[in-house]
């Protein structure tokens, strides 16, 4: 009998594992106010969460020149880290209900590897991992610093390369259309979550949808049995 192949579950972070919208909206407000520009609406900001900052900022400030956009990106980064320093990750970016329990359960399975693919910077992800005590949870961590923005498949292809897991044995769990389009581009099964920033209506590229974290483990069993 052949051994069970390694499986890989890759998670988006903001809007999927943790609800960081308060800091995202606050940092965006500070960045735009710092440039004397109108602050984007909540829906406009959350609608581009998941994209890399250099890609999303021109969408929020389409009339701005390159120098202004660069200052907005840096202003957002600085403001975000300042806001995060003022309170713990559990307060500023709390887990969605059931997220930590599911991470722990999947991590305990010897044939299941966990990873993240996020629009966050390396610095931002490190702070979140440290704040939530997740240092040993994710064997592959893909961040915006080293990849084209989602939905380019680069993050997922690197995660597969890092782990040696086949495309058929990997899934991408995310809350945005960018996550699901990235999964599709990488030939990986996309699992959309309905509680995040895009909602069910924009996740038409998802292979599956879940409405609660505890639905993920049984869905994975179904996918991989098939």
């Amino acid at each position: 009998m052949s051994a069970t192949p390694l499986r890989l579950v890759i998670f988006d972070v903001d809007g999927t594992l943790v609800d960081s919208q308060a800091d995202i909206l606050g940092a965006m407000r500070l960045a735009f106010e710092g440039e004397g520009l109108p602050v984007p609406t909540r829906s406009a900001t959350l609608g581009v969460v998941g994209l890399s900052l250099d890609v999303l900022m021109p969408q929020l400030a389409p009339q701005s020149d390159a120098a202004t956009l660069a200052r907005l990106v840096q202003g957002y980064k600085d403001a975000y880290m300042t806001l995060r320093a003022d309170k713990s990750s559990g307060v500023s970016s709390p887990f969605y209900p059931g997220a930590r329990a599911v991470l722990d359960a999947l991590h305990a399975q010897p044939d299941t590897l966990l990873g993240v693919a996020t629009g966050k910077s390396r610095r931002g992800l490190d702070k979140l991992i440290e704040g939530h005590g997740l240092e040993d949870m994710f064997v592959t961590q893909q961040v915006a610093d080293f990849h084209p923005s989602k939905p380019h498949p680069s993050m997922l292809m690197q995660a597969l390369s890092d782990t040696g897991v086949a495309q058929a044995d990997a899934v991408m769990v995310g809350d945005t259309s960018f996550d699901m389009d990235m999964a599709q581009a990488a030939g990986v099964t996309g699992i959309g979550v309905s509680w995040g920033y895009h909602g069910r209506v924009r996740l038409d590229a998802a292979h599956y949808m879940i409405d609660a974290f505890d639905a993920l483990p049984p869905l994975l069993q179904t996918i991989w049995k098939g």
Side-chain angles (χ1 to χ4, degrees), residues 97-175:
R100 182 58 189 261
V102 168
L103 287 176
D104 288 339
L106 294 176
H107 187 246
Q109 298 175 3
D111 299 317
T112 302
L113 304 176
L114 303 183
V116 291
T118 176
K120 284 184 174 297
S121 67
R122 177 79 265 172
R123 182 173 65 155
L125 180 62
D126 285 347
K127 289 288 288 184
L128 183 85
I129 285 175
E130 178 186 0
H132 280 294
L134 299 173
E135 287 85 354
D136 299 321
M137 187 70 70
F138 304 112
V139 300
T140 178
Q141 301 174 14
Q142 307 306 321
V143 296
D145 308 57
F146 310 115
H147 295 280
S149 178
K150 298 176 183 180
H152 192 285
S154 174
M155 289 188 187
L156 296 188
M157 301 310 293
Q158 186 61 52
L160 294 173
S161 177
D162 286 352
T163 57
V165 173
Q167 290 161 294
D169 294 320
V171 300
M172 173 69 204
V173 183
D175 70 305

Side-chain angles (χ1 to χ4, degrees), residues 153 156-157 160 166-171 180-190 207:
L156 296 188
M157 301 310 293
L160 294 173
Q167 290 161 294
D169 294 320
V171 300
M180 296 303 99
D181 290 343
M182 177 175 65
Q184 190 173 64
V188 168
T189 297
H207 293 88

